[in-house]
């Protein structure tokens, strides 16, 4: 991955995390402004992802983005919003992280 690719992935991740936080905020207290901001943030993140798909391919771009967001969104949900996961869901998230990591970095092992 190039430096520009890494920076784009980081930017999209930050934008998606902000969008997820806005979406949760909207769910707790709906308003038109929160909804518009959420949609704008998700749109901006997806535009960056389109660039990454063109540059690195769909599988790599979405797999990397998915594992990073999976970890980060769960950290936000658990720490800032006080959500709790049952043990089976916690294991599911752990296995999902491992699976996406294997998919993403498996091509490096060739």
């Amino acid at each position: 991955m190039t430096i520009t690719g890494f920076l784009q992935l980081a930017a999209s991740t930050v934008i998606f995390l902000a969008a997820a936080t806005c979406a949760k905020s909207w769910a707790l207290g709906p308003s038109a402004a929160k909804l518009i901001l959420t949609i704008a943030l998700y749109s901006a993140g997806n535009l960056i992802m389109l660039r990454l798909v063109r540059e690195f391919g769909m599988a790599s771009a979405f797999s990397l983005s998915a594992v990073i967001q999976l970890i980060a969104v769960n950290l936000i949900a658990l720490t800032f919003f006080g959500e709790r996961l049952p043990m089976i869901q916690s294991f599911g998230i752990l296995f999902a992280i491992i699976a996406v990591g294997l998919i993403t970095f498996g091509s490096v092992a060739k």
Side-chain angles (χ1 to χ4, degrees), residues 2 6 13 16 19 34-35 42 44 51 61 74 84 96-97 108:
T2 64
F6 174 78
T13 300
F16 282 133
K34 289 178 186 177
L35 181 60
Y42 275 122
R51 169 77 182 171
N74 278 287
R84 298 287 172 245
I97 292 167
V108 174

Side-chain angles (χ1 to χ4, degrees), residues 18-30 34 38 42 76-77 81-83:
T21 303
C22 284
K24 179 67 176 185
S25 177
W26 175 85
L28 295 174
K34 289 178 186 177
T38 300
Y42 275 122
I76 289 172
F81 293 108
E83 295 183 10

Side-chain angles (χ1 to χ4, degrees), residues 16-101:
F16 282 133
L17 293 177
T21 303
C22 284
K24 179 67 176 185
S25 177
W26 175 85
L28 295 174
S31 74
K34 289 178 186 177
L35 181 60
I36 291 168
L37 180 59
T38 300
I39 291 169
L41 286 168
Y42 275 122
S43 297
N46 282 317
L47 288 172
I48 294 171
M49 286 304 300
L50 287 174
R51 169 77 182 171
L52 288 170
V53 167
R54 185 173 23 164
E55 191 171 333
F56 299 109
M58 188 168 89
S60 294
F62 286 126
S63 293
L64 277 169
S65 179
V67 75
I68 293 167
Q69 288 182 54
L70 178 66
I71 295 166
V73 166
N74 278 287
L75 286 174
I76 289 172
L78 297 172
T79 57
F80 292 115
F81 293 108
E83 295 183 10
R84 298 287 172 245
L85 296 174
M87 187 182 308
I88 194 78
Q89 286 181 337
S90 297
F91 281 120
I93 289 171
L94 177 64
F95 292 145
I97 292 167
I98 292 168
V100 173

